[in-house]
Amino acid sequence: MNLSCEYVGLKLKNPIVVASSGLTENLKNMKKAEEHGAACVVVKSLFEEEVCRVSPTPRFEIIERRMGKLRSHTFYSFEQASNFDEHRYFEEVRRAINTLSIPVIPSINCISDEGWKKYAKMAEEVGAPAVELNVSCPHGSISFRGGDVEEKILNVARIVRDVVKIPIIVKLPMQLSSPISMASMLERIGVNGVVMFNRLTGLDIDVENERPIMHGGYAGHGGPWSFNCVLRWIAASSPYLNISIAASGGVGSGIDVAKFIYAGADVVEVCSLVYISGYEVIGTLLEELKKFMEKKSYTSLDEFRGKVSGSKILNNEQVDRRHIYVAKIEPKLCTMCDLCRRVCIYDAPYRAEKTYVISDLCDGCGLCVKLCPTKAISLIPRGKTE
Ligand SMILES: Cc1cc2nc3c(=O)[nH]c(=O)nc-3n(C[C@H](O)[C@H](O)[C@H](O)COP(=O)(O)O)c2cc1C
């Protein structure tokens, strides 16, 4: 099984990159990522803004979200920049480059044109194989400051492209008017890759004390829920881009990694999952990916990269709109909990003697099938009674 791939001209042994974060803040942590199978690491971001170099404590929260009986969670955190100043930071990057056998990509986040130039040059001077421009940090980023975000990002890319020859990767925020046109414009400037995306900026309120939770401000807001938005943008943009694409957001399994490849990503940056499960989970991701590929008889990522992207995703005219299904309740499994009746906006389910039954009013929308706690409901072709 060949999991190798190429990212901004670098040959990687597999598509798993440990994303910029505390997981990669020093050589010790980067080593752990390598030992557990990561093919590349992006170092915790170096910020020009010195105040961001000390993160408050506590700085992590797992916020449970409830909607009816369904549960999800947000991994919420205020971990800002690397603790290091620029000299110590690039010293650590140099040590990591010299010690590890996988590519080590520094990440920079600046507030002045001079800062972007200086840090990008320092990255090149220590021998970094590429540099990631963090123009999207959820706390202290370009987008956080408002104004014309798109123009600011393009400006940063132009400035850095002018001063270094190494590959440049721009880590985009999701809040753009068009991520596809932004990535295309970056490609024209000479950027070599984009990361889609950084986390969003979020807020949660401690209602007892009537203040924002944790440190009292906004914070990074991510979690499994972000996966589908990222997947959509990768699938929509990959056919139009000739630069590398790293997917980042909400990966929880090897199947998620495969989905990003289907959408056209070259590599997958993973972060929150490793925070909440430990570095060992990188090995699990790789095993799950391999197992999936075996099942589908794929021997390389190229065989399915981009297979579900661009024009393979139906547009409004192409969608099949026939109403060919109706719901059917299996009497033996129905516990008469009443949920299907309560949620049906077509008033199709009704109570019979020993079970619920679906009437002709059923539209075949499928919601009751997904919500039924005992899986008593399925969709069958309309007109078929058995
Ligand atoms: C605790 C934490 C710290 C992070 N620090 C950085 C950072 O310094 N620079 C950066 O570009 N992204 C940073 N990120 C964003 C991640 O690199 C990643 O893009 C994002 O979390 C989405 O991936 P995930 O859903 O797998 O976590 C951080 C994320 C988390 C959770």
Side-chain angles (χ1 to χ4, degrees), residues 15 257-268 301 304-307:
V257 175
K259 288 181 186 179
F260 274 144
I261 306 287
Y262 270 114
D266 294 288
V267 294
V268 175
L301 300 174
F304 64 105
R305 179 174 288 108
K307 199 169 175 184

Side-chain angles (χ1 to χ4, degrees), residues 104-380:
V104 174
I105 300 177
S107 161
I108 58 176
N109 180 316
C110 299
I111 44 174
S112 71
D113 292 359
E114 286 317 306
W116 286 110
K117 285 184 205 167
K118 182 174 165 195
Y119 290 178
K121 277 196 217 159
M122 288 174 89
E124 187 165 61
E125 279 158 18
V126 293
V131 61
E132 196 173 280
L133 311 182
N134 176 2
V135 293
S136 49
C137 175
H139 18 72
S141 71
I142 287 179
S143 48
F144 193 75
R145 285 160 216 276
D148 188 342
V149 174
E150 275 85 356
E151 195 39 53
K152 285 183 188 173
I153 293 174
L154 293 170
N155 181 47
V156 169
R158 282 189 205 103
I159 288 173
V160 176
R161 183 67 295 167
D162 272 354
V163 296
V164 294
K165 294 205 164 47
I166 54 173
I168 299 172
I169 301 153
V170 176
K171 186 166 188 176
L172 293 171
M174 211 188 296
Q175 317 92 305
L176 292 168
S177 50
S178 168
I180 307 178
S181 44
M182 168 54 75
S184 301
M185 286 188 277
L186 290 169
E187 181 176 331
R188 287 199 287 278
I189 289 172
V191 162
N192 308 79
V194 283
V195 182
M196 290 179 169
F197 297 99
N198 211 321
R199 308 206 300 162
L200 298 167
T201 306
L203 171 70
D204 202 7
I205 295 176
D206 169 354
V207 289
E208 282 307 313
N209 297 303
E210 301 180 336
R211 66 186 289 280
I213 65 163
M214 268 179 0
H215 60 297
Y218 300 115
H221 169 48
W225 52 265
S226 62
F227 175 80
N228 301 87
C229 319
V230 180
L231 189 65
R232 170 262 161 114
W233 280 118
I234 302 230
S237 54
S238 62
Y240 302 103
L241 298 177
N242 294 307
I243 54 175
S244 295
I245 303 174
S248 171
V251 164
S253 70
I255 302 295
D256 289 346
V257 175
K259 288 181 186 179
F260 274 144
I261 306 287
Y262 270 114
D266 294 288
V267 294
V268 175
E269 290 198 3
V270 187
C271 180
S272 300
L273 176 68
V274 183
Y275 263 100
I276 63 166
S277 315
Y279 291 86
E280 289 81 356
V281 80
I282 300 167
T284 312
L285 287 178
L286 289 167
E287 278 316 306
E288 288 172 353
L289 175 63
K290 278 192 222 156
K291 235 190 201 157
F292 169 77
M293 288 171 62
E294 246 164 54
K295 195 171 126 207
K296 300 293 264 182
S297 303
Y298 288 130
T299 55
S300 76
L301 300 174
D302 287 343
E303 289 166 34
F304 64 105
R305 179 174 288 108
K307 199 169 175 184
V308 186
S309 68
S311 62
K312 287 153 209 140
I313 294 169
L314 302 186
N315 64 31
N316 281 344
E317 282 71 37
Q318 296 165 318
V319 171
D320 183 349
R321 292 165 197 273
R322 291 172 302 160
H323 284 45
I324 53 176
Y325 296 108
V326 286
K328 180 174 183 296
I329 298 180
E330 167 54 53
K332 280 194 217 124
L333 296 175
C334 175
T335 59
M336 303 187 85
C337 72
D338 196 45
L339 181 64
C340 57
R341 189 197 57 77
R342 276 184 281 130
V343 300
C344 181
I345 59 171
Y346 304 99
D347 296 326
Y350 63 92
R351 194 189 168 98
E353 206 179 318
K354 289 195 176 138
T355 179
Y356 275 71
V357 176
I358 307 276
S359 76
D360 289 348
L361 295 172
C362 176
D363 189 59
C365 74
L367 180 62
C368 59
V369 176
K370 298 296 162 193
L371 292 176
C372 175
T374 59
K375 305 211 180 319
I377 315 179
S378 54
L379 287 182
I380 59 165

